[in-house]
Amino acid sequence: MDSIMYLVPAFGVVGLLYTAWRFSWVSKQPAGNAEMQRLSGYIADGAIAFLKAEWKVLALFALPTAALLFWLGSDEGTPERPIHSSPLIAVAFLIGAVFSAFAGYIGMIIATKANVRTAEAARSSLAKALQVSFTGGSVMGMGVAGLAVLGLGGLFIILYQTFAAGLPLNSEEMRKAIEVLAGFSLGAESIALFARVGGGIYTKAADVGADLVGKVEAGIPEDDVRNPATIADNVGDNVGDVAGMGADLFGSYVATILATMVLGQEIDVASTDAYGGYSPVLLPMMIAAVGLLASLVSTFFVRISKETSSVQNALNLGNWASVIITFIASYFLVKGILPETLNLRGFEFTANGVFYAIVTGLVVGALMSIITEYYTAMGKRPVNSIIEKSGTGHATNIIGGLAVGMESTVLPILVLAAGIILSYKFAGLYGVSIAAAGMMATTAMQLAIDAFGPIADNAGGIAEMSQLPPEVRERTDNLDAVGNTTAATGKGFAIASAALTSLALFAAFVGIAGIRAIDIYKADVLAGLFVGGMIPFIFSALCISAVGKAAMEMVNEVRRQFREIPGIMEYEAEPEYEKCVAISTQASLRQMILPGAIALITPVLIGFTMGPEVLGGLLAGVTVSGVLMGIFQSNAGGAWDNAKKSFEKGVLIDGAMYYKGSDPHKASVTGDTVGDPFKDTSGPSMNILIKLMSIVSLVIAPYIAVISNDIDNVIEEPAVEVLPIDGSMTPTDVYELENGLKMNIARDGSPVESNLVDFIRSDRPVDKTTWFDFDRLLFETGKETLKPESQEQLGNIAEILKAYPSVNAKLGGYTDNTGDPDMNMKLSADRAASVKQSLVNMGIDASRLESEGYGEQYPVASNDTEAGRAQNRRTSIRVTKK
C-alpha cells in the first residue's frame, strides 16, 4: 500500500510545479504603459490590504476553535463508549485553515498580475488576451487542486503512520485517524465560508455603488477612471470572485474526498484487495490526483486562432478534455485498486458499480454545466426573456430575472436526483460519495475556467480607465461576457457537488453518531427539518442585507466626491479611491461574522441539546433548501448580468434597437444590481454552508453519540410490538444489563439477547455447538440485505458485546433445502457477513467477529413443511471467546 499512498501527495507536488511554471510565464508578459501599471498597482494594493485585514479577523476565530478541538480531542470516552478522536485534530484544523487561506492568496496574486497583462495582450489580439487570462486562471486552478491533494494526501500518510500503521482499515485506530483528518476539512471549509462571504460583501458593495451612481446617475461607463468606486470594484473582483472562490473550491474539493474516505473506512476488504484492505480509502484520493493531471493536460487545449473564434468553445474543449481523460483514467484506477466485490452496511456492490457511479458523477457535473450555461448565456431564451422585459421598465426586468432563477432549479434538481438514485443503485452510499469525487475530480480545470472571468473583467476595467482604443475594450468585453457564463457554470457545478457530498457526509454522520434512522414522524425531528430549511433563507438575508448596508455607504461616498471634488468629471482631479476601498473593507469584515457564526454554532447547539437524530433532521433541511437557494440565486444573478451586457452590442426589443444609455439598458442595470449579491455573495455561499454544517456535525458526532445513546436506550414503556422473522407480531419486554442499559427483547420463546448474556455470565466453557438463533432479523427475499426492522435486535447484540469487551463471537447463516445448494451456501454466507458488517458499523471491532455460511446443513426442523423451512432459514450467534 505504501507506494500508491505516496503517489497522492506526489501528484499534488506536480500540480504546484505547474503552478510555479505558469505563474512565471504570466509574470514575464508585458504589463502595459505606466498608467495601466499605476491603476493595476492600486488594485493589487487594495486586494492585499483586504486579505491581511481578513486574516487577522480569521485568526481570532481559528485559534480559539483549535483550542476547543484540542480539548475535545483529549476526551477518550469510556471503554463502553470510546471516542475516536485525538488532540491532533486541532493541528489538522489549523493546517486546513492555512491551506485554504493560501489557496485564495495564490489566486489573488496571479489575478492581480494577469489583469493588466491581459489588457495589454488585448491590444494585439483576442487570442493573446485569452492565452494570458486563461493561463492566469489555470495557475489558480492547479494551485488550489495541488494544495488540496498535497495537504490531504500528506496528512493522511502522517496520521496513518501515527495511529494505524500495519492495522486493518476498520480498526479503531484507523477510525481515529479519519476523524482527525476531518479536522483538516473543517478548517478548510470554515475559512472558505468567511472568505466567500466577506469577499462577496466587499465586491458587491463596491459594484453596486459604482453602478448606481456612476452608470445610472452620472451616465459614465462602469469602469471610468472618474468613478471613485471603480478601484474598489476591481479589487472586489479579486478578493471575492478569485480569493473567495479559491478558498471555496479548496474546501469543497477536500470535503468531497473526505466524505468518501469516511464511508470507505467502513468497508471490509482486507482479504481480497492488494492494499491491505485500504483500497476504498485510497481510491477517492487517487481519483483527485489523476483528475488534477487530466486538468493540467487539458489546459493546453484552450486556444483560439482568429478574432472571430468562439472563446466559449475553446473553454468547453478544455473542460470536456479533462472530463474524458478523467473518465478513462478512473476505469483503470477502479479495476486496478478495488476488489471485485465490496459491502457497506449490508449493501453489496462491485468494482464495476463503483466505476459506473464515478461516470454518473462526471455526467451529472457535465449536465449541470450545460444547463447552467443555457440559463445564463447571452443569446439563449432565458437571458433574452429578461432583455425583452427590460423594455417595459425596471420592475418587469426584476420579475423576469426572478422567474428565470426559479425556473432554472427544475432541471438541475431532476439531474441531481437521478444522479443520487443511480449512484446509490450502482454502489450504495459509497457510490453517492464517489460520484461526488468523480464530479470534483476536474476541479482544477473548472476553477481555471472560473478564475479566467474575473481576470478578464479586471482587464476590461483597466482598459477603460486607461482609455485604451475601443477595439481593446471590445476584446476584453468578449472575454468578460464568456466569463460571466463560466462563473455561473462553476457555481452550479459547486452546488451540485455540495449536494452529493453533503449526502455522503450525512451518511457518515449517521454511522458515527450511532443513530439508525431519521424519523420525521417525531415532532422534534420534524421541527429540526423545518429549522434547517429556514437557515439558508436567514443566511442569504444577512448576506444580502450586508451588501445593501455597505452599498448605501458607498453610494453616499461616491455622491459626496462628485459633489465636493471639483474637476472629477473633466479629468482635472483624481477621485479619492482609497476611501471607497476602506468602506468595502470595513463593511465586509464587520458583516461576515454573523452568517459564519450561524453555520458553525447551529449544529453544535442542536446536537448537544437535542441529540443526533434532530441534528440529522436539521442537516436534511439545510441541504435541500440550500441547494435550491444556491441554484436559484446564482443563475438569476448570472442571467441578469448577461442581459445587461447584451445592450453593449445592441438588442432588439419589439422591432427597435436599444443600446447602452437607453431606458431598457438602465432597467437592466437595476436588475444586474439586484442580481449581484445573489450570484456573488449569498448564492455561492450556499454550497459552503451545507457542507460546513455537515462537517461540524461529523466532528461532534462521537461526543453527541455518547450522550444520545445514554438517553435513547432508557426505554420507558414496559412492552412494545415488533416483527419477528416470520413477520407476525410478538410482544417484547425490557431486559437490563449490569451497566443499566435497557433493551427490548422477546417476551416469550427463547430470546437471543438473554440467552447470550446468560451464557456469558455462566461458568460454561466455550464450545462449537452452543448457538443462539436471532428471532427478529429480516432479510430482503433472496438477498443478504437486512431490513430496517432488524436494527433493534442487532443494536441489542452490539450493546451486549460492548458491555463485555473480552467476548468474541461468530455469526452463522442457514437456509432451507429448496433451490440450488451452492446458491444456498453463498446466500447463507452473505447473510452472516451482512450481520457481521452491521455490528461492525455499530462500533464492534471486526477482529472480535467471524462469520460463516452453512447453507442447508444442520436443519433444526423438517424441511417438509413451510413452518419447518421457516425455522431452518435463520441466523445464529455463538461465543468463541469469553
Side-chain angles (χ1 to χ4, degrees), residues 653-674:
I653 304 176
D654 293 332
M657 291 295 296
Y658 294 91
Y659 297 89
K660 291 178 68 173
S662 63
D663 286 340
H665 174 249
K666 291 179 180 178
S668 73
V669 171
T670 300
D672 178 44
T673 304
V674 173

Side-chain angles (χ1 to χ4, degrees), residues 579-666:
K579 291 192 176 180
C580 292
V581 170
I583 287 172
S584 272
T585 300
Q586 293 163 9
S588 60
L589 296 180
R590 187 171 62 247
Q591 300 289 340
M592 74 180 183
I593 301 300
L594 185 55
I598 288 175
L600 288 164
I601 295 173
T602 303
V604 176
L605 289 177
I606 297 296
F608 280 99
T609 59
M610 304 293 289
E613 191 174 355
V614 177
L615 179 54
L618 180 90
L619 295 178
V622 168
T623 301
V624 173
S625 177
V627 168
L628 286 165
M629 285 285 286
I631 295 172
F632 157 62
Q633 292 183 88
S634 295
N635 288 349
W640 264 318
D641 196 350
N642 272 341
K644 177 202 70 175
K645 286 191 177 298
S646 298
F647 283 89
E648 293 167 2
K649 292 184 179 181
V651 299
L652 185 67
I653 304 176
D654 293 332
M657 291 295 296
Y658 294 91
Y659 297 89
K660 291 178 68 173
S662 63
D663 286 340
H665 174 249
K666 291 179 180 178

Side-chain angles (χ1 to χ4, degrees), residues 30-158:
N33 58 39
E35 177 65 9
M36 293 168 67
Q37 293 182 43
R38 182 180 73 89
L39 294 168
S40 175
Y42 282 150
I43 296 170
D45 291 345
I48 287 289
F50 171 78
L51 280 187
K52 287 181 178 178
E54 183 182 54
W55 287 348
K56 289 179 182 177
V57 174
L58 293 180
L60 296 176
F61 152 76
L63 293 177
T65 303
L68 177 61
L69 288 171
F70 183 90
W71 176 69
L72 287 173
S74 302
D75 184 2
E76 297 181 356
T78 65
E80 294 77 20
R81 304 197 191 286
I83 293 176
H84 303 98
S85 189
S86 162
L88 287 178
I89 194 171
V91 178
F93 170 82
L94 289 175
I95 294 173
V98 170
F99 271 44
S100 181
F102 188 57
Y105 177 76
I106 288 175
M108 194 275 298
I109 289 295
I110 188 60
T112 54
K113 283 184 173 291
N115 55 11
V116 67
R117 289 163 172 80
T118 298
E120 176 64 18
R123 301 179 76 165
S124 58
S125 69
L126 179 64
K128 185 66 175 178
L130 172 62
Q131 184 183 13
V132 175
S133 57
F134 178 75
T135 301
S138 68
V139 168
M140 180 180 180
M142 302 305 151
V144 168
L147 276 175
V149 172
L150 174 63
L152 199 62
L155 189 57
F156 174 77
I157 291 171
I158 293 170

